Structures are given as structure tokens and as C-alpha cells.
Amino acid sequence: MIGRKMAVRAKKFFGLSFMGAITAVLVGIVAWGEVMAQGESPIRIGWQPAEEMRFYAAKELGLFEKEGLSPKYSYFAAGPPMFSAFESNSIDVGYMWLAPVVIGFAQGIEWKIIMIDGDGPKTEGLVVRKDAGINTGNDLRGKTVAITKGTSAYYAFAKVLEKFRIKESDVKVMHLLPVAMIPAFEKKDIDAVYIWEPWLSKLAERNGKVLFTDADVDVPGTGVWLARKEFIEKHPETLQRFLRALDKATDHLKTDPTPAVKEMATRMDIKEEVAKQIYEKTYLPPYEQQVDPKYGLGLYPDTHLGSTLSDMGKFLKATGRIDKVPDVNVMFDRGPIEQYLKKRK
């Protein structure tokens, strides 16, 4: 029943066949080991190969264990498979970008945004073939651009078109999964791609150039941590240990980001120098800033982050990815971070 539900959601999310990835995730879920440590607090962490630098640092330096946690790591190739893992109580916390967060809320998943891992608006963007004759946004008319439906990249691409007053019908939009974009780019079947890292760098290395990023259209390149609502309520101390480990990871990154950079390079299948560049483009907002209502990415519905989530919901509904726009007022839970900051003082 769960496998069928995951497949249906993945197909709706991407608008493409996703069965191969779903099968791989199911195999990974079956292979998860049981938590063996006693006297420690178990926590099941879902993650994706992205820019969650605090997580990489905490994992590689054993900071979760040092805080009395017994972590079980669960890898996901994308957001949709994580939906069912949350709903089936298979993971407690998980990392993802904004579009799948909105979709999950629209589908009624009982989770909350508890923390921003990082913001890297220059780690997602439009990469064009150098020989495609695209030098400005106006040159996109009549060109073939690959995107992945239901993603933050699709939303940002729509903002680029809006900026240059171009209708989507004036562009040949091809919906592809990231793995299919490189061969299509190399064969010149497509002229440009709006995509996130590591694909952005990989395409740039293949006769591509980055023309725009999310920063150029004021779209946050934000990855967030979510937690199951029940987990927040029943295991507050475990969540405090999780936040403390990530906070200490932030301090380690300031002095030596090498362990996290190496792990990211391995997980994203990129060169360490590219991973370091991605890290340097990513801002890690401290906890104090995240609960400040004046901060643009603060965990409030009326910040820039909140308005982006709301606007993204409207966009996803208009493009058929969701049936209803979720209420941004119920998305955030600042309580865990606020409690942590009181204890830290």
C-alpha cells in the first residue's frame, strides 16, 4: 500500500515516470538498520544529496552521538519518497527545499518547519549552452529549456520569465528529471536548464554558462529541516539534542569546513573544489536570526520566506502540482529553537 502511494505522489510531483527512483528508495528503506544503542535517544534522520552543510559536519564529526543521540540515517533521492516516510512514522526529521515542503503541507502531512539549514540562492539557476545564442533573458524566446515540474527550480524559472515579460508559451519547455538533462544538454536537444546543484556545476562544465540564479529573481535558495508534529510534542529533549548538534556543527564549519565539504563532494558526486564553492555560496543563518521576525528568512509567515512559500503554493496549484494552497500560518514551529536558545544562555 505504501509503495503504491509513494509512486502516485512521485508521478504527480514530477509529472514524469519516477518508478526507478522509487524502487531504489524502497530498497534503501528495507535496508535501514535498527537502532542498537541503549541509554541514548534514537532519532531517524531523512536527508538528500544537497547543501545541508550542518548535517554533513554533524554526521562526519559524530556530533549527534556526542549529544546523546543514536541516529539512523535514511537517504532519499528526492522529496516525494520522503512524504510517505514521514506519514508512516519511518523518519522523525528530514531536510528538503521549499517546493516539496509546500506540496507536503498541501497533502496534509503532519510536519512543521523547525529550522533553516542554509540559504544558497546562487546554488540554483539557469545554465545555458554557450553556443545556444542566449546572452540575456530576452534570448529565451523560442529556445528549449528543460525543467523539473513541481520543484523550486520551476518556480524560479517562472520568475525569470516574469522578469523579462516572457510567456511560458513563448519558450519550448521540456520536463525532464535531472539525470536526463546532461545527455540532452550534450546532444543539444535542449538549449538551457534551470536546475540546482550539483547539476548546475556539472552542466556548466559541459560547455555551459550560468546566466541567472535564484538571487537574480529574489527567490530564496533555502533548505529547511522539518519534524513530525507528534515527534516535536513527544520527544522535545531529543529534538533539543538534534538542534544542539547542528549548532555545534555550525561552529566547526567556521574553523574547518573540510570534513563537511568532503562528505558533500562524495554524496553529490562532485569535485571537492566544487563542493567548497557551493559551501562558500551558502549562508548558514544562526538560530537567533531564524527566530527574529525582522529577518527575511525568519520562521514567520509574514517574512520573505513565508511570502515565498505562500506564492509558491499558488504557483504549484496553478500548474497542477497541488489541489489546494496550504496555509502558511501553520507551517512553522519556532518553539524548539526558542527553547534551545533559552537553555544555551
Side-chain angles (χ1 to χ4, degrees):
M1 177 67 181
I2 291 176
R4 183 166 63 253
K5 188 176 182 181
M6 290 171 69
V8 169
R9 282 187 172 169
K11 187 171 182 181
K12 182 177 180 61
F13 182 83
F14 286 117
L16 298 163
S17 175
F18 200 67
M19 290 304 297
I22 293 298
T23 301
V25 170
L26 285 173
V27 171
I29 291 174
V30 173
W32 288 344
E34 295 296 323
V35 174
M36 299 301 293
Q38 294 183 359
E40 298 179 336
S41 299
I43 187 168
R44 299 163 301 175
I45 304 171
W47 65 281
Q48 301 179 53
E51 304 95 80
E52 58 261 58
M53 295 302 300
R54 302 189 219 225
F55 166 73
Y56 290 135
K59 178 175 177 290
E60 289 305 292
L61 296 170
L63 298 180
F64 293 123
E65 290 84 355
K66 291 178 182 178
E67 293 303 325
L69 295 173
S70 183
K72 183 173 72 171
Y73 304 114
S74 302
Y75 168 88
F76 295 86
M82 204 180 291
F83 296 168
S84 290
F86 266 105
E87 288 192 309
S88 63
N89 191 23
S90 298
I91 59 175
D92 303 310
V93 295
Y95 169 93
M96 63 182 68
W97 271 41
L98 300 184
V101 170
V102 174
I103 293 173
F105 274 110
Q107 294 181 355
I109 297 177
E110 292 289 320
W111 62 13
K112 295 285 186 178
I113 300 171
I114 60 165
M115 173 194 163
I116 299 167
D117 192 274
D119 181 54
K122 293 186 178 181
T123 63
E124 180 176 82
L126 182 74
V127 57
V128 303
R129 287 197 348 263
K130 290 180 179 179
D131 58 354
I134 305 175
N135 297 305
T136 72
N138 290 318
D139 296 329
L140 288 170
R141 290 182 175 85
K143 300 297 184 179
T144 302
V145 182
I147 57 172
T148 303
K149 277 189 173 182
T151 63
S152 301
Y154 188 14
Y155 172 78
F157 174 64
K159 291 299 180 182
V160 170
L161 296 182
E162 182 180 301
K163 179 177 181 178
F164 288 93
R165 299 180 181 180
I166 300 173
K167 296 179 180 178
E168 188 171 316
S169 58
D170 293 331
V171 180
K172 298 176 183 176
V173 176
M174 183 179 295
H175 298 286
L176 296 175
L177 290 176
V179 292
M181 291 176 176
I182 288 180
F185 196 80
E186 292 179 325
K187 293 178 182 178
K188 300 185 179 181
D189 292 335
I190 54 179
D191 301 306
V193 176
Y194 209 108
I195 194 64
W196 54 90
E197 294 286 8
W199 310 103
L200 187 67
S201 293
K202 290 182 177 182
L203 288 164
E205 292 173 350
R206 292 165 168 80
N207 194 40
K209 64 178 179 180
V210 178
L211 194 62
F212 297 108
T213 67
D214 289 2
D216 295 308
V217 286
D218 200 25
V219 173
T222 308
V224 301
W225 284 96
L226 300 110
R228 287 188 298 108
K229 186 177 178 182
E230 183 182 27
F231 184 76
I232 295 172
E233 295 169 350
K234 292 186 177 181
H235 303 281
E237 180 54 36
T238 300
L239 198 54
Q240 289 297 297
R241 295 181 184 185
F242 176 74
L243 291 173
R244 187 159 52 246
L246 293 180
D247 194 23
K248 290 185 176 180
T250 309
D251 292 334
H252 279 279
L253 286 166
K254 293 176 183 177
T255 57
D256 182 17
T258 304
V261 168
K262 287 184 176 180
E263 177 68 1
M264 181 168 68
T266 298
R267 297 301 180 180
M268 297 176 75
D269 190 25
I270 54 178
K271 299 175 182 177
E272 282 187 29
E273 59 189 68
V274 176
K276 185 178 181 181
Q277 291 171 3
I278 295 173
Y279 166 65
E280 292 172 347
K281 294 177 184 177
T282 305
Y283 174 64
L284 308 178
Y287 289 168
E288 293 89 346
Q289 204 169 26
Q290 297 188 31
V291 294
D292 181 353
K294 295 181 181 179
Y295 175 49
L297 298 180
L299 301 175
Y300 294 84
D302 55 352
T303 60
H304 181 47
L305 175 61
S307 63
T308 298
L309 289 165
S310 179
D311 189 55
M312 193 174 285
K314 296 173 184 176
F315 172 78
L316 290 168
K317 184 177 185 298
T319 53
R321 297 300 95 197
I322 58 178
D323 297 325
K324 63 178 182 179
V325 178
D327 182 5
V328 69
N329 291 293
V330 303
M331 293 185 181
F332 303 104
D333 189 343
R334 297 180 299 279
I337 285 185
E338 290 174 339
Q339 181 183 357
Y340 172 76
L341 290 173
K342 288 180 181 178
K343 289 183 178 180
R344 195 177 66 177
K345 293 179 180 179

